[in-house]
Each structure stands twice: as C-alpha cells, then as structure tokens.
Amino acid sequence: MALLRRPILMLARSGRVKEMVTTMPVSAGIVRRYVAGERTADAVRATRELVDAGLTTSIDYLGEDTTDEKRAEATVGAYLELLQALHDAGLATSAEVSVKLSAIGQYLPGGDRVALENARRICRAAGNVGTTVTLDMEDHTTTDATLHTLRELRQDFPGTGAVLQAYLRRTEADCRRLATEGSRVRLCKGAYDEPEDVAFTDRVDVDRSYVRCLKALLAGDGYPMIATHDPRMIAIAQHLVDESGRERGSYEFQMLYGTRPEEQRRLAGLGERMRVYVPYGEEWYGYLMRRLAERPQNLSFFLRSLLSQK
C-alpha cells in the first residue's frame, strides 16, 4: 500500500483526473465520508452532531494555493461567516477553525503580509466569539514562513495553534522550540509528497520521529494536540502521557472527520479530550486525494465506484 502513496498524490495534481472525479456523482459516497459538505450549514450540522457525542472540532474551509485575490478574500469571508454561524448555534466554544495560509493570500504579491493580515482578521473574529485558530502546515517550502506568521499572530492572539509534521527531519527541533507555556501544537505525521532530503519516507522512520517529537512536546509546558489514527501510536501516546505525569485537559487527541469514528468516541468515553478535524467546502479534491494517500486501502472502494459507472 505504501507504494501507492506517491501515485495517488500525483493524481491530486492532475487536472484531467480532477475534472473526471468532480463531475461524476459516483464520488459522492467517499466524499461524504471525509467532507462534511460544501456549505457553512453543513459544517455547523457536523459540529452539532460531534459535540452531542462528546467531541469537539477544528473546522477547515477547504482550499489552498490561491493565486487570485478575490478567491483569498472569499475564503476569509467564509471563515467569518462560519464563526458567526457557530456562535449563533451556541457551538463556538466547542469548535475552533484551521486555516491554510496559502488559501488566504500567501501566494499573492506581498503574500506573507497579505496572509498575515487576513489571518489576523480571522483570529480577531474567532476571539470575539470565544474560540481560537490553528494555522495548518502545508508542504516544506512554506514551513519557515508559516512559523514566522505564527509568531506574529501570537503577539496579539497567543492562543493561535501551530501544526508540525513528524515526517520532516526538522520537526523534532521545531517541537522543542514551540513547547512553551500556552503554546498549542498539533503533531501529525504529514500528508504531502516531500523529497527525501527534507523528510523521512519510510513508515518506520516516520513513526520513530513522531514518538521523539511527541516526547519533546510532552516534556515542555505547551498544549500538545496528538493527531493520529494509528492504534499503535495512540497506545504509545497514552503511555507517554502517563509517563510524563500529564493531567487530562493538558493535551488532546485529534482525528480526521470520517476516520475511525468509533475510536474517536471510545477515547472521549475514557475522558480524553477528542477533537475532530472537519473539512467542508467546494474545493475538496486535493484534500480527498491526500486522505487516499494516507490510507490507500480506501482507493479500492473509490475505483470500484468509478468502474461501476462504465
């Protein structure tokens, strides 16, 4: 299955495949599994269902690599609308939002400044309704710029969360730097197709890096957000949490919408804080392909759906 990861990620960049998938209704089943829907109301509905089950959420309005100013502005507007809708539904304190800087202007002229100002607008709106923002991490070429923007945002919005990807060779050092008081850090394995000189490519090496990074976060004074679906990694994380003397409430687990929902509820039932990453919006194609790359066994279902329409 690991051999399928790179071809699947290549499909994510294929305009022809994207056109086929996004115009064929057969993809709807698997999309509904991983994406809450296309509208703000869909994200609010999914959040309500998860909160009623004892979970919390981090909501992502899908889209990235934006090179159009109007599109970036529309994305900011979507987040502002979402935050107000969550507040109106009484859900804001149970839901934060996750934001990709490339979706709000990072690739526009003067992109770092534009993305920072747009992120400030979203952070301000989030603070006004009693919640927070986490900056999603993208491919390795944006890591330094994203961490710089994080530092700027935290001057006014100290609760802004970071995301670090364990498959990058630099991440253990980044974890140590960010494991400071009040620092919220989501640790995930990573889902982009990265070169070997900057990233571990063997699964065992990625897992070992994840454990080292988690140890660094748990040893610090921050708030680790343990993002993994791997049963073995969850067990290791629980052991490391106990070993570190951490109290419940000083960390949380995170999983993706539609992935191992029974395990999400099991952890919540044990008293763990469990947050679900909920994506929504029309730009679901690239997100879906990265999910398939993470779990290539899902590809068989997807291909069967396509072939059944021929």
Side-chain angles (χ1 to χ4, degrees):
M1 286 299 181
L3 295 175
L4 291 173
R5 186 172 188 273
R6 181 157 293 181
I8 294 171
L9 289 172
M10 290 177 65
L11 289 178
R13 297 190 292 270
S14 169
R16 182 177 179 183
V17 175
K18 177 181 179 181
E19 181 179 3
M20 179 184 71
V21 172
T22 55
T23 57
M24 293 182 69
V26 297
S27 60
I30 195 167
V31 174
R32 280 197 301 270
R33 175 175 175 179
Y34 293 109
V35 179
E38 296 188 347
R39 302 170 303 149
T40 298
D42 297 321
V44 173
R45 171 193 50 77
T47 296
R48 170 67 69 192
E49 292 172 356
L50 291 164
V51 169
D52 287 346
L55 311 171
T56 57
T57 66
S58 186
I59 308 173
D60 173 23
Y61 179 70
L62 293 170
E64 56 192 276
D65 299 343
T66 299
T67 56
D68 179 79
E69 185 175 352
K70 290 183 178 179
R71 182 66 185 172
E73 182 62 30
T75 297
V76 175
Y79 276 109
L80 301 185
E81 177 184 295
L82 170 65
L83 287 162
Q84 186 60 51
L86 290 168
H87 174 69
D88 293 345
L91 294 169
T93 57
S94 298
E96 64 152 31
V97 295
S98 288
V99 178
K100 289 181 174 61
L101 293 178
S102 75
I104 58 171
Q106 192 175 47
Y107 291 159
L108 296 175
D112 289 341
R113 176 187 54 78
V114 173
L116 174 59
E117 289 308 311
N118 283 337
R120 280 192 174 123
R121 292 167 61 191
I122 298 170
C123 286
R124 190 175 300 112
N128 287 341
V129 300
T131 191
T132 54
V133 173
T134 292
L135 294 186
D136 271 335
M137 192 62 75
E138 302 179 66
D139 70 78
H140 80 279
T141 64
T142 66
T143 301
D144 285 329
T146 300
L147 292 179
H148 174 75
T149 299
L150 175 75
R151 289 191 294 272
E152 292 294 313
L153 288 171
R154 282 184 170 179
Q155 293 181 31
D156 296 315
F157 310 100
T160 305
V163 177
L164 296 175
Q165 301 171 109
Y167 68 170
L168 294 183
R169 297 177 185 273
R170 61 175 287 170
T171 298
E172 185 178 356
D174 287 332
C175 284
R176 289 197 172 92
R177 281 191 289 270
L178 285 174
T180 56
E181 185 175 358
S183 176
R184 299 168 56 248
V185 180
R186 178 194 300 154
L187 179 65
C188 63
K189 289 187 179 181
Y192 291 86
D193 187 16
E194 302 284 17
E196 290 188 21
D197 60 325
V198 300
F200 300 108
T201 56
D202 182 83
R203 187 182 68 178
V204 173
D205 290 335
V206 174
D207 285 353
R208 288 172 176 165
S209 176
Y210 192 98
V211 172
R212 292 194 302 270
C213 291
L214 182 54
K215 286 180 177 179
L217 292 175
L218 289 170
D221 297 321
Y223 181 82
M225 301 183 286
I226 308 166
T228 180
H229 310 98
D230 184 341
R232 179 170 169 269
M233 204 58 61
I234 291 170
I236 291 172
Q238 289 178 309
H239 171 74
L240 292 176
V241 164
D242 291 340
E243 196 175 59
S244 70
R246 285 264 181 170
E247 296 182 357
R248 283 179 177 166
S250 66
Y251 64 92
E252 67 183 43
F253 285 93
Q254 295 192 358
M255 293 188 192
L256 298 171
Y257 183 75
T259 302
R260 304 195 70 204
E262 297 84 3
E263 178 67 0
Q264 294 174 13
R265 285 162 174 76
R266 184 188 75 83
L267 288 170
L270 292 175
E272 300 284 10
R273 284 188 179 177
M274 179 72 242
R275 190 177 300 275
V276 181
Y277 186 94
V278 178
Y280 80 105
E282 297 179 359
E283 298 296 320
W284 51 261
Y285 176 75
Y287 176 85
L288 172 64
M289 285 299 166
R290 285 197 294 279
R291 299 295 75 79
L292 291 176
E294 289 171 346
R295 296 178 59 83
Q297 57 266 42
N298 292 330
L299 186 61
S300 61
F301 168 78
F302 188 59
L303 292 177
R304 284 197 305 272
S305 298
L306 291 177
L307 292 173
S308 69
Q309 298 299 304
K310 291 188 175 182

